[in-house]
Amino acid sequence: MVKPVLAVNFKAYYPHSFGENAYRLAKDAVRVWRETGVEVILAPPFTELKSVIEAVNGTGVKVFAQHADPVEPGAVTGFIPLEGLKNLGVHGVILNHSEHRLKISDINYLVKKARKLSIETLVCADTPETGAAVAVLGPDMVAVEPPELIGTGVSVSKAKPEVVTNSVDVIRRVNKDVAILTGAGITTGEDAYIAVKLGTIGVLVASGIVKAKDPYQVMKEMAEAMLKGLA
Amino acid sequence: MVKPVLAVNFKAYYPHSFGENAYRLAKDAVRVWRETGVEVILAPPFTELKSVIEAVNGTGVKVFAQHADPVEPGAVTGFIPLEGLKNLGVHGVILNHSEHRLKISDINYLVKKARKLSIETLVCADTPETGAAVAVLGPDMVAVEPPELIGTGVSVSKAKPEVVTNSVDVIRRVNKDVAILTGAGITTGEDAYIAVKLGTIGVLVASGIVKAKDPYQVMKEMAEAMLKGLA
Amino acid sequence: MVKPVLAVNFKAYYPHSFGENAYRLAKDAVRVWRETGVEVILAPPFTELKSVIEAVNGTGVKVFAQHADPVEPGAVTGFIPLEGLKNLGVHGVILNHSEHRLKISDINYLVKKARKLSIETLVCADTPETGAAVAVLGPDMVAVEPPELIGTGVSVSKAKPEVVTNSVDVIRRVNKDVAILTGAGITTGEDAYIAVKLGTIGVLVASGIVKAKDPYQVMKEMAEAMLKGLA
Amino acid sequence: MVKPVLAVNFKAYYPHSFGENAYRLAKDAVRVWRETGVEVILAPPFTELKSVIEAVNGTGVKVFAQHADPVEPGAVTGFIPLEGLKNLGVHGVILNHSEHRLKISDINYLVKKARKLSIETLVCADTPETGAAVAVLGPDMVAVEPPELIGTGVSVSKAKPEVVTNSVDVIRRVNKDVAILTGAGITTGEDAYIAVKLGTIGVLVASGIVKAKDPYQVMKEMAEAMLKGLA
């Protein structure tokens, strides 16, 4: 059976996404992974990658960078090449997030280079059409997130289910294999349940988990809801 | 019969692309259009659009902007919304040129908005894969130009014919209708002939025409070579 | 006596800033210039520069571009080098507008190059400190515009007069000669009157004039108020 | 007596700037600090900040980020607000490096915010004039680095000493207190000696140390040469 995916974008909430909070969130994620077996992905800020990687060490939880810069290693200042991420031990990278859009040629460059370095790629898109466009480039995962719902707590799976089903349709026409995630406004287990019922394999969540009173509870609820949805 | 396309990017060569030189180039293009009937597209700098539009007025030569900014009209300074281009009388717009790359979400926004405003779109790409990615968005034309050959005088049709045939393959898989152009290093009639023989409908040329001793002769030669190639 | 400056940024309001509207605004400006003798500067969109230059031809009204790109002429697509603006006949250029910020090294490059080409420079800044920073580079004019007031109709001269007086103070410490303009929310003659009373030489106005019911009346009123203020 | 400054920009050389190499470089720097007492600043990639901070813990060596993004903490993905850096324990931040230029308004925003957070700022500039422009904003340090010499091994102190002396002149006119560093091509102790003799307080070095066969030796030599120069 295919495992549902619970991807958590820490963003840069302060203090939630940094220091001890980031570490604690990672430990909560490990607990959810142990208890449910879903595929858990954590994307902390660059500066917290090291401590989060240490926190999940030896478990199945994966750590992704929130972004990578389309640069070769060398004389570049304040940018992060994929090689630096790989060396640190990250498993993957989010690309083209709504808050960090990339040029199409740079997405292509990064997806191809990540594949060579065995770094997984999760490429975001704002519409079904751009979701299909980036899917053509062969990333591991695509998440379609209508920007107007991001951070609202109004989930795309409830407010715009047609965006999700339409995304699955147009993406599958150009790429049979890419994993499709649902994102934007995902806050509850029910949102996650609908996401998998509509044909995607998981969710990309940020404030719904990171700023939750009890992130563990929300992650657990979402993981179980997705398992139920896929059963 | 389908007409071959001869698209001329004036870029910003000085003084070639400006003032009287731009006007004269436009008049040469009109002559080639009259004599050969090929689809001629001229893309002068923003500041020369008005005079080039006047120069080709009443003919079949089309004028494209070299770029459009992904902005709505309003409080924007030093940016050009599509509405401003339409109002001026342009027929189309080049998007995502190698020297002016765009974010994938912005290409999608501009292609869709241009369609509503009846502005044609010619989207550039650096590889067959990105060519297919942008083709998913439904532009009128796609040009695949390996950046390393742009401006070299070494044509992609001779140096990397597999880029052209591969582009046609992967683009056609996702879009049956888009017109496919060959670009990068196109300098001679032979380059243009090979481009159509390899399955594309025309060429996107810059310095090969704009900086030529006799732009009229080069355009004429390319137009005739493409007609021969398609015959 | 020093002449007050009335600088009009057309921005990209639609249809106000384009086509016949742009031309009519230019003709109104010529009338105000003839009737009052103030220094009038018009900054239309790139695509309207040619027609506005024609409209003010033979008068003392100056035409500025809203922006210039920090590029040398050559293989650049969709960007405007200063040489192209000069060739068209522009008198000056706005740089670093709140809606089109530039890197400090690019402002320096453009100010120096503009001087060589006899193109005047009007550099915008968001605070007195950044106003002083750009004044160090030796532009002809500096306009300090608090972004939060731009386009509000609440004028900086009334809402934050200390920004204006403070700007004059810190800019004069580093540059004795640069002309200092007041901008953001300037809508009435009174706003312009206060601006010169606070020690600046004129105003930078956009929607207050461009979207006014009768732009001529507003420009006339502002011009006369500034003359009164400087008398 | 004023202590000379030895600032080391790790850039993103691979594998030199990452992992064990970054850690070892930090340990070498600690040794030089102990042996010479000069002010040593290390600027590793974002992803190595944590381990370098741990490596220098309890010593006088300072750790700077190579860049900071002009964002508030919150819903930002793949960007680093100053609060995240502070929380990690960095002492300062490099801004506007030649390989990561910033808009003047963003430099102002970051310098002011860093001051509130007790984060030191080292702002780079490409010419004496832009050095003076950024000095107006009140950073702790300014480094003037002619981009054409960066990474060449040809030091600005030998090849263009007038850039250094001119920088000191024009920066001192607008800011009496800012520390002025010399950068670009600094490779030897002699380069560093000349830098302080020309009136600056230290050097900003990258490949000359990071890619050196024995970084410890080069740092030691530069530190001692500067001490001699200032004696």
Side-chain angles (χ1 to χ4, degrees):
Chain A
M1 200 196 92
V2 179
K3 280 190 293 187
V5 177
L6 176 59
V8 186
N9 179 3
F10 286 38
K11 297 199 178 183
Y13 298 112
Y14 192 81
H16 316 73
S17 313
F18 295 94
E20 287 178 26
N21 296 291
Y23 189 84
R24 198 175 313 126
L25 195 48
K27 286 298 187 189
D28 285 344
V30 167
R31 213 172 135 201
V32 172
W33 169 77
R34 283 200 209 284
E35 293 168 359
T36 66
V38 306
E39 170 101 337
V40 179
I41 292 172
L42 301 179
F46 288 130
T47 47
E48 304 297 330
L49 281 169
K50 191 176 165 62
S51 81
V52 169
I53 287 169
E54 285 166 7
V56 306
N57 190 24
T59 78
V61 174
K62 292 179 177 174
V63 180
F64 276 43
Q66 291 178 8
H67 170 80
D69 292 302
V71 295
E72 290 294 310
V76 289
T77 295
F79 292 109
I80 304 292
L82 286 169
E83 285 83 353
L85 297 174
K86 182 69 187 177
N87 191 70
L88 198 66
V90 309
H91 305 91
V93 63
I94 295 177
L95 297 173
N96 199 43
H97 187 274
S98 163
E99 292 147 11
H100 214 143
R101 292 290 188 219
L102 286 163
K103 294 170 186 175
I104 182 70
S105 44
D106 289 336
I107 299 174
N108 185 48
Y109 163 86
L110 287 162
V111 165
K112 288 198 166 32
K113 190 172 169 183
R115 201 178 304 141
K116 271 188 216 154
L117 295 170
S118 299
I119 295 175
E120 291 182 52
T121 48
L122 191 180
V123 184
C124 298
D126 57 342
T127 64
E129 290 77 23
T130 50
V134 298
V136 166
L137 305 175
D140 297 287
M141 286 171 271
V142 170
V144 177
E145 303 191 294
E148 68 276 16
L149 295 178
I150 293 177
T152 60
V154 178
S155 80
V156 63
S157 34
K158 282 188 191 166
K160 299 200 172 182
E162 75 282 3
V163 168
V164 182
T165 51
N166 193 12
S167 294
V168 175
D169 279 357
V170 301
I171 291 171
R172 279 291 167 254
R173 254 176 254 160
V174 301
N175 188 321
K176 300 281 173 240
D177 305 315
V178 68
I180 306 175
L181 302 187
T182 295
I186 305 293
T187 312
T188 66
E190 194 192 355
D191 295 334
Y193 176 84
I194 299 173
V196 298
K197 278 297 180 194
L198 292 174
T200 62
I201 194 60
V203 289
L204 175 56
V205 191
S207 61
I209 288 171
V210 181
K211 297 178 79 175
K213 214 168 168 178
D214 186 346
Y216 162 76
Q217 277 304 335
V218 180
M219 285 190 279
K220 181 80 178 281
E221 187 189 314
M222 287 183 182
E224 289 175 342
M226 290 193 293
L227 286 168
K228 201 175 126 203
L230 284 177
Chain B
M1 200 197 90
V2 180
K3 280 190 293 186
V5 176
L6 176 60
V8 186
N9 179 3
F10 286 38
K11 297 199 177 182
Y13 298 113
Y14 192 81
H16 316 72
S17 313
F18 295 94
E20 285 178 28
N21 296 291
Y23 189 85
R24 199 175 313 125
L25 195 50
K27 287 299 187 187
D28 285 345
V30 168
R31 214 172 133 201
V32 171
W33 169 78
R34 284 199 207 287
E35 293 168 0
T36 67
V38 305
E39 171 101 337
V40 178
I41 292 172
L42 302 180
F46 288 131
T47 47
E48 304 297 331
L49 280 169
K50 191 177 165 61
S51 81
V52 168
I53 287 170
E54 285 167 5
V56 306
N57 191 25
T59 78
V61 174
K62 292 178 176 175
V63 179
F64 276 43
Q66 289 178 8
H67 171 78
D69 293 302
V71 296
E72 290 294 310
V76 289
T77 295
F79 292 109
I80 304 292
L82 286 169
E83 286 83 352
L85 296 175
K86 182 68 187 179
N87 191 71
L88 199 66
V90 308
H91 304 91
V93 63
I94 294 176
L95 296 174
N96 198 44
H97 188 274
S98 163
E99 291 148 10
H100 213 142
R101 292 289 188 222
L102 286 162
K103 295 170 183 172
I104 182 70
S105 43
D106 289 335
I107 300 175
N108 186 46
Y109 163 86
L110 286 162
V111 165
K112 287 198 167 30
K113 189 172 171 184
R115 201 179 303 139
K116 273 189 213 151
L117 295 169
S118 298
I119 295 175
E120 292 181 51
T121 47
L122 190 179
V123 184
C124 298
D126 58 343
T127 63
E129 291 75 24
T130 51
V134 298
V136 166
L137 305 176
D140 296 287
M141 287 171 270
V142 170
V144 177
E145 303 191 294
E148 69 275 17
L149 294 178
I150 293 177
T152 58
V154 178
S155 80
V156 63
S157 33
K158 282 188 191 166
K160 300 200 172 181
E162 75 283 4
V163 168
V164 182
T165 51
N166 193 11
S167 294
V168 175
D169 279 356
V170 300
I171 292 172
R172 279 290 167 252
R173 255 177 253 161
V174 301
N175 187 321
K176 299 281 172 242
D177 305 315
V178 68
I180 306 174
L181 302 187
T182 295
I186 305 292
T187 312
T188 66
E190 194 191 355
D191 296 333
Y193 177 84
I194 299 173
V196 299
K197 278 296 181 195
L198 293 173
T200 63
I201 195 59
V203 289
L204 174 56
V205 191
S207 61
I209 288 172
V210 180
K211 297 177 80 176
K213 214 168 169 179
D214 185 347
Y216 163 76
Q217 277 304 337
V218 180
M219 287 191 277
K220 181 80 179 280
E221 186 190 314
M222 288 183 180
E224 288 175 342
M226 290 194 291
L227 285 168
K228 200 174 128 204
L230 285 177
Chain C
M1 201 197 90
V2 180
K3 279 191 293 186
V5 176
L6 176 59
V8 187
N9 178 2
F10 285 38
K11 298 199 176 183
Y13 298 113
Y14 191 81
H16 316 73
S17 313
F18 295 94
E20 286 178 24
N21 296 292
Y23 189 85
R24 199 176 312 126
L25 195 49
K27 287 299 188 187
D28 285 345
V30 167
R31 213 173 134 201
V32 171
W33 170 77
R34 284 200 208 285
E35 293 167 359
T36 66
V38 305
E39 171 102 334
V40 179
I41 292 172
L42 302 179
F46 289 131
T47 47
E48 304 297 331
L49 280 170
K50 190 177 166 62
S51 82
V52 168
I53 287 170
E54 286 166 6
V56 306
N57 190 26
T59 78
V61 174
K62 292 179 177 174
V63 180
F64 276 42
Q66 290 178 7
H67 170 78
D69 293 302
V71 295
E72 291 293 310
V76 289
T77 295
F79 292 109
I80 304 292
L82 286 169
E83 286 83 353
L85 296 174
K86 182 68 188 179
N87 192 69
L88 199 66
V90 308
H91 304 89
V93 64
I94 294 176
L95 296 174
N96 198 43
H97 187 274
S98 163
E99 292 148 10
H100 213 142
R101 291 292 187 219
L102 286 163
K103 295 170 185 173
I104 182 70
S105 44
D106 289 335
I107 299 175
N108 186 46
Y109 163 86
L110 287 162
V111 165
K112 286 199 168 30
K113 190 171 170 184
R115 201 178 304 141
K116 272 190 215 151
L117 295 170
S118 299
I119 294 175
E120 291 182 51
T121 47
L122 191 179
V123 184
C124 298
D126 58 342
T127 64
E129 290 76 25
T130 51
V134 298
V136 166
L137 305 176
D140 296 289
M141 287 171 270
V142 169
V144 177
E145 302 191 294
E148 68 276 17
L149 294 178
I150 293 177
T152 59
V154 178
S155 80
V156 64
S157 33
K158 282 187 192 168
K160 298 199 172 183
E162 73 282 4
V163 168
V164 182
T165 50
N166 193 11
S167 294
V168 175
D169 279 357
V170 301
I171 291 171
R172 280 291 166 254
R173 256 178 253 160
V174 300
N175 187 321
K176 299 281 173 242
D177 304 316
V178 67
I180 306 175
L181 303 187
T182 294
I186 304 292
T187 313
T188 65
E190 195 192 354
D191 295 334
Y193 176 84
I194 300 173
V196 299
K197 278 297 181 192
L198 292 173
T200 63
I201 194 62
V203 289
L204 175 55
V205 191
S207 61
I209 289 172
V210 180
K211 298 179 78 175
K213 213 167 169 180
D214 186 346
Y216 162 76
Q217 277 304 335
V218 181
M219 286 191 277
K220 181 80 177 281
E221 187 190 314
M222 288 183 180
E224 288 175 341
M226 290 193 292
L227 286 168
K228 202 175 126 203
L230 284 177
Chain D
M1 200 197 92
V2 180
K3 280 191 291 187
V5 176
L6 175 59
V8 186
N9 178 2
F10 286 38
K11 297 199 177 182
Y13 298 112
Y14 192 81
H16 316 72
S17 314
F18 296 94
E20 286 177 27
N21 297 291
Y23 189 85
R24 199 175 314 126
L25 195 49
K27 287 299 187 188
D28 285 344
V30 167
R31 212 172 135 202
V32 172
W33 170 78
R34 284 200 208 284
E35 294 168 359
T36 66
V38 305
E39 170 102 336
V40 178
I41 293 172
L42 302 180
F46 289 130
T47 47
E48 303 297 331
L49 279 169
K50 191 176 166 60
S51 81
V52 169
I53 287 170
E54 286 166 5
V56 306
N57 191 25
T59 77
V61 173
K62 293 180 177 173
V63 180
F64 276 42
Q66 289 179 8
H67 171 78
D69 291 303
V71 296
E72 291 294 311
V76 289
T77 295
F79 293 109
I80 304 293
L82 286 169
E83 285 83 354
L85 297 175
K86 182 68 187 178
N87 191 71
L88 198 66
V90 309
H91 304 90
V93 63
I94 295 177
L95 297 174
N96 198 45
H97 187 274
S98 164
E99 292 148 11
H100 213 143
R101 291 292 187 218
L102 286 162
K103 295 171 184 173
I104 182 70
S105 42
D106 289 336
I107 299 175
N108 186 46
Y109 163 86
L110 287 162
V111 165
K112 287 198 166 32
K113 191 173 170 182
R115 201 178 303 141
K116 273 189 214 152
L117 295 169
S118 299
I119 294 174
E120 291 181 51
T121 47
L122 191 180
V123 184
C124 298
D126 58 342
T127 63
E129 290 77 24
T130 52
V134 299
V136 166
L137 305 175
D140 296 289
M141 286 170 271
V142 170
V144 177
E145 302 191 295
E148 68 276 17
L149 294 178
I150 293 178
T152 59
V154 178
S155 80
V156 63
S157 35
K158 280 189 193 166
K160 298 200 174 183
E162 73 283 3
V163 167
V164 182
T165 50
N166 193 10
S167 294
V168 175
D169 279 356
V170 299
I171 291 172
R172 279 291 167 251
R173 255 177 254 161
V174 300
N175 188 320
K176 299 281 171 243
D177 305 316
V178 68
I180 306 174
L181 303 186
T182 295
I186 305 292
T187 311
T188 66
E190 193 192 355
D191 296 334
Y193 176 84
I194 300 174
V196 299
K197 278 297 182 194
L198 292 173
T200 64
I201 194 60
V203 289
L204 175 55
V205 191
S207 61
I209 288 172
V210 181
K211 299 178 77 176
K213 214 167 169 179
D214 185 346
Y216 162 76
Q217 277 305 336
V218 180
M219 285 190 279
K220 181 80 178 281
E221 186 190 315
M222 287 183 181
E224 288 175 342
M226 290 193 292
L227 286 168
K228 199 175 127 203
L230 284 177

